[in-house]
Amino acid sequence: MSAKRIRWFIGVALIALMVVSVFVVSIPILFHHKLQYISFFKHCFFVLLVCSVLCLYRVLRGPTAADRIVTIDILGILIVGFCAVIGIPTGRTWYIDIGIAWTLQSFISTLALAKFLEGKDFDE
Amino acid sequence: MRSKIVLFILAYILWALLNWVPDWQHLLVGVFVSVFVVYLTAGLFPTRFKYLFDIKRYLWALYFIPVFLYECIRANFDVAYRVIHPDLPIKPGIVKIKTGLKSDIALTFLANSITLTPGTMTVDIDRSNGILYIHWINVRDTDIEGATKLIAGKFERILKGIFE
Amino acid sequence: MNNLIGMILIVVGLIFDFFGCLGLVRLPDVYNRLQAATKCVTLGTFSIMLGTFVISGFTAVGIKALLCGIFLLIAAPTAAHALSRGAYKAGVKLWEGSVVDKYGEDRAKK
């Protein structure tokens, strides 16, 4: 029980450290007269990167195939977020096109993997 | 034929939004693309045309959006609380609920709304009996009537107003 | 002002994304993980898209971001439903602390 608590406190400390190091640096930018986009979106990109690393941990550890398929689905949704976050500061509009295509393609591939898991043919 | 016209208008609006700041070249190509899409997928979208101009359904749909958004945001805070709590206060299980909705699209919307509300997720649908199997992260009631009232009570009346 | 509102929406979306991925690591079985991850990550990414729309306004990027968010809000619950049914039919067990399993009882009856 106490070992569990200690692990929880270590996790909370790590998360707090990350939040401080990521966001406290960017708060002055929010009140700056001329907003500097690039710096803010760099921090956003870092948070999404940490989320992807957590997903990859579950891909490596997942006991069953279903866990890994769930994680691949979630990773697809996170990549759409990446596309939006990159697209604004660089001003390249085609990143969001990649996001739309990735949403639909990830949906189709998840359905195909679920059907495969169920052990059926692809035409129900 | 009329359902094809409705599908054509929807596809054309989607094309215009995807090529935003539309000029006449995009709109001209969009006509051909929309006709092609309607030719391919016309059998998949049966439209009941007489319901399309019923103003009461649109009012129900407008009422559905804030209720759904409120439940959705509450779901997120609920799940976030359960995730960061040190003891993981979950009590999962699969319950079943009974619904009075009949049409396919209403059942689809009910299942999707249930999936996005606090702690509930649709596992399977038995369409002939109108029974939905729900995975619930914190089971509060195991019999059919109580679970139906707690899970689907808010959405069922509104969806009946929209689709049936 | 629009930029500030958009940035706040993006930060809220990032926080929910992070909680969803944390739930993916901490919760004990496939169905609970699917619940946490699907809800939090879907609404989080939808919030990021909404922030993009607020920052860019009615330009090409803004309209496409809004469309992308709506596609996501329709597609993600359907994928979660298909995945949970597939996992149950593939024989993935519920967590041992589960209370009831009406679906398994009804499947055993048939």
Side-chain angles (χ1 to χ4, degrees), chain A residues 30 35 37 40 44 48 51 57-58 67 69-70 74 77-78 80 93 96-97 103 107 111 114-115 117-118, chain C residues 3 7 14 17-18 21 24-25 30 33-34 37 41 45 49 52 61 64 68 72 75 82-83 85 89-90:
Chain A
L30 290 179
L35 295 168
Y37 284 130
F40 174 73
C44 293
L48 281 174
C51 293
Y57 169 78
R58 184 46 73 190
D67 288 296
I69 297 176
V70 170
I74 298 306
I77 299 176
L78 281 180
V80 178
T93 58
I96 207 81
D97 294 341
T103 311
F107 171 57
L111 283 191
K115 282 287 169 201
L117 201 65
E118 205 170 322
Chain C
N3 288 333
M7 281 178 175
L14 287 174
D17 267 8
F18 184 73
C21 290
L24 202 62
V25 172
V30 179
R33 279 174 204 149
L34 199 51
V41 175
T45 310
M49 290 298 165
T52 311
V61 178
K64 277 174 192 167
C68 188
L72 200 69
L83 261 175
R85 200 177 64 163
K89 290 196 175 169

Side-chain angles (χ1 to χ4, degrees), chain A residues 40-94:
Chain A
F40 174 73
F41 287 105
K42 230 188 267 174
H43 299 301
C44 293
F45 199 84
F46 182 72
V47 175
L48 281 174
L49 213 59
V50 172
C51 293
S52 307
V53 170
L54 289 178
C55 284
L56 287 179
Y57 169 78
R58 184 46 73 190
V59 169
L60 287 176
R61 275 291 303 279
T64 61
D67 288 296
R68 298 193 170 99
I69 297 176
V70 170
T71 317
I72 293 300
D73 183 25
I74 298 306
L75 208 55
I77 299 176
L78 281 180
I79 286 170
V80 178
F82 269 119
C83 290
V85 168
I86 304 174
I88 307 168
T90 54
R92 294 181 183 149
T93 58
W94 41 266

Side-chain angles (χ1 to χ4, degrees), chain B residues 17-18 32 38 43 54 67 101 129 145 149 157-158 162:
Chain B
L17 286 179
L18 278 176
F32 294 113
V38 170
D54 197 349
V67 171
L101 299 173
N129 300 325
E145 284 82 20
K149 201 177 166 197
R157 199 167 56 92
I158 304 174
I162 296 176

Side-chain angles (χ1 to χ4, degrees), chain C residues 82-106:
Chain C
L83 261 175
S84 65
R85 200 177 64 163
Y88 202 97
K89 290 196 175 169
V92 179
K93 294 277 188 298
L94 288 174
W95 183 46
E96 60 262 24
S98 303
V99 185
V100 286
D101 186 5
K102 290 276 175 67
Y103 188 45
E105 290 169 15
D106 279 12

Side-chain angles (χ1 to χ4, degrees), chain B residues 17-18 20 72 76 80 83-86 91-94 96 112 115 117 119-120 122-124 133 135 137 142, chain C residues 16 19 23 26 28 31-32 35-36 39-40 43 58-59 63-64 77-78 81 84-85 98-103 106:
Chain B
L17 286 179
L18 278 176
W20 188 251
C72 201
N76 275 278
V83 166
I84 60 178
H85 198 278
K91 203 170 77 171
I94 297 181
K96 64 179 178 180
N112 275 3
T115 300
T117 46
T120 51
T122 315
V123 175
D124 204 351
Y133 295 95
H135 182 269
I137 206 169
T142 55
Chain C
F16 279 130
F19 281 146
R26 283 198 75 199
Y31 308 98
N32 294 317
Q35 288 221 14
K39 278 176 205 118
C40 286
L43 201 78
F58 285 93
T59 58
I63 296 286
K64 277 174 192 167
T78 316
H81 160 62
S84 65
R85 200 177 64 163
S98 303
V99 185
V100 286
D101 186 5
K102 290 276 175 67
Y103 188 45
D106 279 12

